[in-house]
């Protein structure tokens, strides 16, 4: 089909900052570009009208949970427009450092067939080989594509189209920094404006959107290392954490002192989820002697393949909606893989 034959599309571009909106300054790379500057010179197909809004102008390392909720609200407000203002798809431009968290929150609550595509850049806009314009043009093409309908929230960078769930930033500098930690990887790709999305990921029923309580709920992350003790776990409990994501060693292992600390937390009603320091592969209740089996016996939940950063967002959303610890743990198990009764990830 030629561009002329394609139906007209209104795509909202919501800018939040990040390197895609940044220039080099004497104090380092910082977001300085307005949304108009971010979209200027981005090639847009004839049938696409872009509606641009600036939600915030922040480096993603500065984002708070309240910011994530504001981005969620902005996307939902755009999708709620009707009549002549109605939108066919949304693109969110975002810093890449914490893009996986925002994209996953958007995906968890997305209750619409229309695509939401999150993109960013690894090189500043004033870099000679900046990737921002290509990534944004690709993301707009994906948001305008029928192939993206019903696919939930997608991440589009360096020509890859990935499901938000399971996607992680895997490299600190490479342009193709994002990868899916589940096989077979991306759902599809974009080449010179042509979108191909042959795969679909299993989608969970949408959760209620984050409300104000999400801004304040505390979910901590704690890493295991040789000689790790329970000091940080105690501090999490003292600070009022609702949940803790433990980054275990290997396939989700710890040591005796951490296991005791986890048992203390779960007995206090703090949900403990176990991911890994390793980027790929599931966490499993395989080892005793301070390992994953002991952590599960102490009341922890294995994340299997769900990235720890994304598990943290899910736990915050569930805790902010007033679920008790047992209900939070049960809901979390529905997102881990494999879990009883859950359909295969890929369809
Ligand atoms: N490439 C980037 O966007 C990294 C930047 N620090 C950010 O996340 O805002």
């Amino acid at each position: 089909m030629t561009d002329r034959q394609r139906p007209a599309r209104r795509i909202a571009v919501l800018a939040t900052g990040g390197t895609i909106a940044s220039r080099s300054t004497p104090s380092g790379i910082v977001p300085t570009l307005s949304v108009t500057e971010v979209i200027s010179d981005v090639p847009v197909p004839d049938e696409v009208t872009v509606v641009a809004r600036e939600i915030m102008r922040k480096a993603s390392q500065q984002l708070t949970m309240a910011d994530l909720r504001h981005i969620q609200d902005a996307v939902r407000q755009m999708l709620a427009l009707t009549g002549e203002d109605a939108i066919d798809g949304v693109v969110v431009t975002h810093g890449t450092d914490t893009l996986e968290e925002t994209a996953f929150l958007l995906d968890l609550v997305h209750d619409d067939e229309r695509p939401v595509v999150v993109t960013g850049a690894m090189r500043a806009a004033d870099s000679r080989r900046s990737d921002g314009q290509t990534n944004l043009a690709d993301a707009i093409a994906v948001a305008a594509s029928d192939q993206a309908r019903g696919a939930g929230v997608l991440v589009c960078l360096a020509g890859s189209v990935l499901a938000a769930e399971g996607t992680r930033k895997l490299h600190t500098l490479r342009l193709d920094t994002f990868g899916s930690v589940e096989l077979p990887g991306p759902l599809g790709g974009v080449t010179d404006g042509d979108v191909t999305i042959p795969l679909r990921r299993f989608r969970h029923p949408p959760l209620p959107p984050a409300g104000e309580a999400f801004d304040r709920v505390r979910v901590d992350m704690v890493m295991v290392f040789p000689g790790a003790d329970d000091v940080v776990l105690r501090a999490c409990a003292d600070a009022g954490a609702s949940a803790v994501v433990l980054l275990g060693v290997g396939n989700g292992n710890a040591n005796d002192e951490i296991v005791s600390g986890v048992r203390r937390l779960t007995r206090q009603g703090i949900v403990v989820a176990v991911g890994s320091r390793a980027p790929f592969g599931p966490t499993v209740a395989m080892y005793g002697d301070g390992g994953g089996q002991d952590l599960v016996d102490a009341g922890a939940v294995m994340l299997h393949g769900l990235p720890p950063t994304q598990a943290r967002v899910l736990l915050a959303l569930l805790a902010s909606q007033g679920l008790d610890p047992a209900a939070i743990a049960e809901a979390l198990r529905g997102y881990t893989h494999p879990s009883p009764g859950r359909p295969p990830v890929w369809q």
Side-chain angles (χ1 to χ4, degrees):
M1 206 188 280
T2 66
D3 280 355
R4 279 184 198 290
Q5 293 167 311
R6 288 191 189 139
R9 293 275 186 255
R10 262 171 81 79
I11 303 299
V13 173
L14 306 183
T16 69
T19 296
I20 194 166
S22 295
R23 282 197 199 96
S24 306
T25 74
S27 41
I29 293 174
V30 288
T32 51
L33 270 59
S34 69
V35 65
T36 315
E37 291 170 301
V38 170
I39 61 166
S40 70
D41 301 330
V42 171
V44 173
D46 289 345
E47 76 278 9
V48 173
T49 306
V50 169
V51 179
R53 298 272 184 282
E54 185 162 324
I55 310 307
M56 59 190 72
R57 200 181 295 178
K58 282 188 155 189
S60 79
Q61 66 266 22
Q62 293 275 21
L63 294 181
T64 63
M65 297 298 265
D67 291 327
L68 268 64
R69 182 172 61 85
H70 289 316
I71 298 169
Q72 166 208 269
D73 291 345
V75 169
R76 295 177 68 79
Q77 279 160 17
M78 274 293 154
L79 291 172
L81 294 174
T82 53
E84 281 187 359
D85 295 332
I87 294 292
D88 297 299
V90 178
V91 172
V92 177
T93 59
H94 198 288
T96 57
D97 287 352
T98 64
L99 187 150
E100 67 209 48
E101 276 106 328
T102 301
F104 189 49
L105 174 65
L106 297 177
D107 193 45
L108 286 170
V109 304
H110 191 53
D111 52 5
D112 202 295
E113 286 291 295
R114 290 170 291 176
V116 173
V117 186
V118 191
T119 192
M122 290 299 286
R123 291 188 187 142
D126 59 351
S127 147
R128 266 191 297 137
R129 285 188 290 164
S130 139
D131 53 333
Q133 288 199 343
T134 309
N135 286 340
L136 182 50
D138 286 352
I140 291 171
V142 173
S145 167
D146 285 341
Q147 295 179 61
R149 279 186 76 85
V153 176
L154 301 167
V155 174
C156 180
L157 220 91
S160 288
V161 178
L162 303 119
E165 185 174 347
T167 285
R168 291 182 78 167
K169 186 169 187 176
L170 293 174
H171 199 283
T172 54
L173 294 172
R174 271 171 61 155
L175 302 190
D176 59 344
T177 178
F178 286 104
S180 169
V181 291
E182 297 168 325
L183 292 171
L187 300 179
V190 193
T191 310
D192 202 16
D194 282 334
V195 177
T196 315
I197 309 178
L199 294 172
R200 277 279 186 282
R201 193 189 192 287
F202 163 76
R203 285 187 47 68
H204 305 271
L207 294 173
E212 277 176 30
F214 181 77
D215 306 359
R216 296 181 302 273
V217 76
R218 185 173 187 103
V219 179
D220 287 305
M221 299 184 87
V222 175
M223 192 180 271
V224 179
F225 47 86
D229 59 21
D230 66 354
V231 168
V232 181
L233 290 175
R234 285 176 192 272
C236 298
D238 291 347
S242 299
V244 171
V245 179
L246 189 71
L247 293 160
V249 292
N251 53 18
N253 303 309
N255 62 35
D256 290 340
E257 196 165 336
I258 295 282
V259 171
S260 304
V262 166
R263 187 173 299 109
R264 212 171 302 114
L265 260 56
T266 59
R267 285 191 178 150
Q268 288 172 50
I270 299 169
V271 178
V272 179
V274 183
S276 176
R277 307 192 316 185
F280 293 105
T283 49
V284 280
M286 186 186 277
Y287 287 94
D289 202 14
Q293 183 62 61
D294 290 356
L295 288 167
V296 168
D297 290 345
V301 178
M302 285 288 158
L303 287 179
H304 296 283
L306 184 65
T309 47
Q310 296 191 328
R312 185 181 162 273
V313 171
L314 172 60
L315 286 164
L317 185 62
L318 295 168
S320 70
Q321 289 171 344
L323 274 71
D324 64 41
I328 293 172
E330 195 45 43
L332 174 66
R333 282 193 192 94
Y335 287 79
T336 63
H337 178 75
S339 65
R342 184 180 152 163
V345 173
W346 302 97
Q347 293 176 329

